[in-house]
Amino acid sequence: MTASAPLNPRAAHDTRASLLVQDKRTKARNATEKRFRAYGLTAIIVALLALVWLLVSIFGNGLPAFKQTFITMPVTLDAAVLDKGGKRDPADLAKATTVAYGKLLAKSLEAEIAAKGLSLGEVKAKDLAKMISEESAATLRNQVLANPALIGSTITVNVLASGRIDGYYKGRVTMASAALDKNTSPEQLALADQLKTAGVISMQTNPGFLTMPDASDKRPEAAGLGVAIVGSIYMMFVVLVLALPIGVATSVYLEEFAPKNKFTDLIEVNIANLAAVPSIVYGILGLSIFINFAGLPQSAPIVGGLVLTLMTLPRIIIPTRAALKAVPPSIRDAALGIGASRLQTITHHVLPLAMPGILTGTIIGLAQALGETAPLLLIGMVAFVRDFPGIPPEGLFDPASALPVQIYNWTQRGDPGFVERASGAIIVLLVFLIAMNAIAIYFRRKFERRW
């Protein structure tokens, strides 16, 4: 009997694998894809961990800068010491130096210790002045000079404690380190604990960190960001006034009016290259042109603003041109079709629709300029400045500092208190940058149009 043939003759010769079963090549491709995903996820996790570590480090070191140790006590402004002539003449009052006021504060602290029934222990009366910041004497002197009627009266003052006392309550100074420090002693720290228990010494919010000027290397407790914040605001004002109109006008011309030839191609290539030039090169250019050639003053906001304007222009032109290109050609054609001129088409239709991208590029460019340090160092803004600049336009030519330069300065000083100040300044700078980026996001969403 002959065997019957198979129903499907091809089935006996079909050696292809099933789609439901992975072959070796498919398994290898899937394994490669899984590894690639794992690499990407690992990179993201590492980046997030690094960011978290950075923020924890900055905030952990910087937040104490917004708190400060103060000494609260009554002070009798002895006329025999401060106004020997008794005439309240400002010239005579100015003869009383900060040394006299410092002795007055030390004497008042000694009296307050006695009034609270505390014991000096092994601390000598002359060493009490080391527990009070040297800035406190200058602050009290300025207060008396501004109001001579205070002489002869007893007022309650809230003065800064010394940097070592402040560091003791912030963990930078210990009893062991105080024993090796000529600026303090374990006995002074023990006395500070008594004063804190009695309510004479307390930790308070420190608004002076944002309003006071910089201080010398020996007074980290008195160092503030006031001059640096004002200087940065002045520079950003100069950058905004110059970079925005010049950048937008350049973008409009190149995108809407300029003929396409080798000259405009050369301009476009140079703009793209300028966006990648290191910022220190702009500092060298500013030093050569604005200071050495034009004779503008060093460390002035006007010079810093001009240098940052040159650096920011390419970063405004490129996104502005991209925003103009994103406007559909039909908008231009429709406006021209109903009789509008080229200028009317651009100003009434194209620019309003491109405004989200223009504002975003401008604000991000300003934020990047706000954090630049290298070009400002070359034009002399690294100088120690105590006086606030005046009101513009004159104030634009007065010496000033800037936030990133102030951070750099503080990191170069030896006292650990300035490390705390530098971290606190970084927090302030981050707040400015986050605020500017948030404003950019807000304007982009507010004026965004979809078509």
Side-chain angles (χ1 to χ4, degrees):
M1 183 175 179
T2 305
S4 60
L7 296 177
N8 187 0
R10 296 181 181 179
H13 305 284
D14 193 355
T15 59
R16 291 181 300 176
S18 171
L19 294 176
L20 302 179
V21 179
Q22 296 182 354
D23 58 11
K24 291 183 178 180
R25 295 179 62 186
T26 303
K27 290 180 179 179
R29 288 199 304 268
N30 291 341
T32 302
E33 181 179 352
K34 290 180 180 180
R35 285 196 302 270
F36 183 77
R37 289 181 178 179
Y39 295 154
L41 183 60
T42 302
I44 293 174
I45 293 175
V46 170
L48 289 176
L49 291 177
L51 177 61
V52 170
W53 177 83
L54 176 64
L55 293 177
V56 169
S57 176
I58 291 174
F59 280 86
N61 293 326
L63 287 178
F66 297 91
K67 291 279 189 177
Q68 198 67 37
T69 306
F70 286 87
I71 300 176
T72 305
M73 61 184 176
V75 176
T76 300
L77 302 174
D78 190 355
V81 176
L82 305 179
D83 186 16
K84 296 180 180 180
K87 299 179 180 179
R88 302 297 189 268
D89 183 12
D92 292 336
L93 296 178
K95 294 179 181 178
T97 64
T98 54
V99 175
Y101 282 89
K103 292 179 179 179
L104 195 64
L105 287 172
K107 184 178 179 181
S108 299
L109 179 58
E110 182 181 4
E112 182 68 5
I113 291 173
K116 295 291 185 180
L118 304 178
S119 173
L120 288 176
E122 298 181 9
V123 179
K124 298 179 181 179
K126 65 178 182 179
D127 293 333
L128 292 176
K130 293 183 179 180
M131 300 180 65
I132 304 173
S133 171
E134 296 178 4
E135 185 72 18
S136 300
T139 302
L140 182 59
R141 181 175 182 270
N142 293 335
Q143 183 180 355
V144 172
L145 292 178
N147 185 11
L150 295 175
I151 295 179
S153 62
T154 299
I155 62 174
T156 299
V157 297
N158 199 35
V159 297
L160 289 169
S162 69
R164 296 298 190 270
I165 299 297
D166 180 64
Y168 174 60
Y169 291 112
K170 293 179 179 178
R172 297 194 308 267
V173 178
T174 63
M175 290 292 183
S177 65
L180 305 174
D181 194 339
K182 65 179 181 179
N183 295 315
T184 188
S185 66
E187 292 76 18
Q188 290 180 0
L189 300 183
L191 179 59
D193 285 334
Q194 295 184 56
L195 292 171
K196 185 175 182 181
T197 304
V200 178
I201 288 181
S202 60
M203 188 76 70
Q204 303 174 19
T205 303
N206 182 26
F209 179 63
L210 300 176
T211 59
M212 293 174 62
D214 194 10
S216 66
D217 293 354
K218 297 180 179 180
R219 294 179 289 175
E221 71 281 355
L225 290 171
V227 175
I229 291 176
V230 174
S232 292
I233 292 174
Y234 281 7
M235 285 191 299
M236 291 303 103
F237 172 76
V238 174
V239 174
L240 182 63
V241 169
L242 295 179
L244 179 59
I246 295 175
V248 173
T250 302
S251 302
V252 170
Y253 173 75
L254 291 175
E255 198 63 35
E256 303 291 340
F257 294 101
K260 302 300 180 182
N261 52 37
K262 293 183 178 180
F263 179 70
T264 55
D265 290 343
L266 179 63
I267 293 177
E268 292 177 1
V269 169
N270 279 303
I271 291 174
N273 289 335
L274 286 174
V277 170
S279 60
I280 196 169
V281 176
Y282 290 99
I284 298 173
L285 179 65
L287 176 64
S288 175
I289 296 178
F290 300 128
I291 295 179
N292 295 339
F293 178 75
L296 293 175
Q298 293 186 9
S299 191
I302 184 66
V303 179
L306 290 172
V307 172
L308 294 180
T309 296
L310 295 177
M311 191 191 71
T312 307
L313 271 174
R315 295 174 173 86
I316 293 180
I317 294 173
I318 293 174
T320 299
R321 292 191 65 190
L324 293 173
K325 286 181 181 179
V327 178
S330 58
I331 301 294
R332 299 174 176 82
D333 296 339
L336 294 173
I338 59 176
S341 65
R342 289 284 300 276
L343 183 60
Q344 289 174 326
T345 300
I346 293 168
T347 56
H348 295 171
H349 301 281
V350 177
L351 278 179
L353 293 175
M355 192 60 65
I358 295 174
L359 290 176
T360 300
T362 301
I363 295 174
I364 292 177
L366 290 175
Q368 185 172 6
L370 180 63
E372 286 294 340
T373 306
L376 302 182
L377 295 178
L378 289 177
I379 62 172
M381 296 202 78
V382 70
F384 178 80
V385 181
R386 283 279 298 176
D387 297 327
F388 282 84
I391 300 175
E394 293 82 4
L396 297 177
F397 297 86
D398 294 336
S401 184
L403 280 172
V405 176
Q406 192 66 71
I407 294 171
Y408 170 80
N409 278 339
W410 284 345
T411 57
Q412 302 304 304
R413 300 184 185 179
D415 196 302
F418 285 107
V419 176
E420 172 192 288
R421 285 301 200 263
S423 298
I426 292 174
I427 294 175
V428 175
L429 184 59
L430 285 176
V431 170
F432 274 103
L433 296 178
I434 292 173
M436 295 177 74
N437 282 276
I439 292 173
I441 294 173
Y442 169 77
F443 279 120
R444 183 173 70 242
R445 292 185 176 180
K446 180 178 177 63
F447 296 105
E448 189 175 15
R449 297 290 185 272
R450 296 185 182 275
W451 41 69

